[in-house]
Amino acid sequence: MKINYLKPIIGIFVLLFVISCKVEPQPIEYGKDQCSFCKMNIVDKTHAAQYVTNKGKQFKFDSIECMINDLSNKNEGDMAMLLVANYGKPGEMIAAKTATYLISKKIKSPMGANLSAFSSKSKAEEFKQQYGGENYTWITLKQKLSDK
């Protein structure tokens, strides 16, 4: 008899455990969420970033450079997802490791690195032709930012 009362409670705990362990990004609430690195409000849909750990914990950033600086103190292998805002489609997040990056003095980013991400190399080249600057891959970008 007592076991019948425990079944719904155990079911609720199992459900909460399963829900809390989801490894997926959460939408960034622009103007409300704070950067996990510099604590500024995230307001720019063209330069935000986010990573999700293998345990499902979310970290959101107001700029790509804040995410890279935060990752410099962590093991990138512990991250399930690394996402950056697609400059060409504000609000859309793309995989950080396959994105192409442009650093151009004519495209200002929130923390001053003038760093933007694009979903394809051809799109980044298109913006480079228009605004100038240099293109980077995820690997070369991290090297450039760590040299400062």
Side-chain angles (χ1 to χ4, degrees), residues 72-121:
S72 69
N73 299 325
K74 296 180 177 156
N75 181 359
E76 201 173 308
D78 292 339
M79 307 305 154
M81 290 177 215
L82 300 168
L83 302 168
V84 292
N86 182 359
Y87 187 81
K89 292 185 178 177
E92 178 185 277
M93 301 300 276
I94 57 176
K97 291 182 178 179
T98 59
T100 301
Y101 299 89
L102 174 66
I103 295 179
S104 171
K105 291 180 181 178
K106 293 182 180 176
I107 301 175
K108 303 294 181 194
S109 62
M111 298 309 292
N114 304 320
L115 170 61
S116 304
F118 297 88
S119 60
S120 68
K121 187 174 181 178

Side-chain angles (χ1 to χ4, degrees), residues 3-31:
I3 292 178
N4 286 337
Y5 291 115
L6 292 175
K7 284 182 181 178
I9 294 171
I10 291 171
I12 290 171
F13 279 112
V14 169
L15 180 64
L16 289 174
F17 178 76
V18 169
I19 290 172
S20 66
C21 292
K22 281 188 173 180
V23 179
E24 61 185 31
Q26 290 180 342
I28 295 174
E29 290 190 47
Y30 295 96

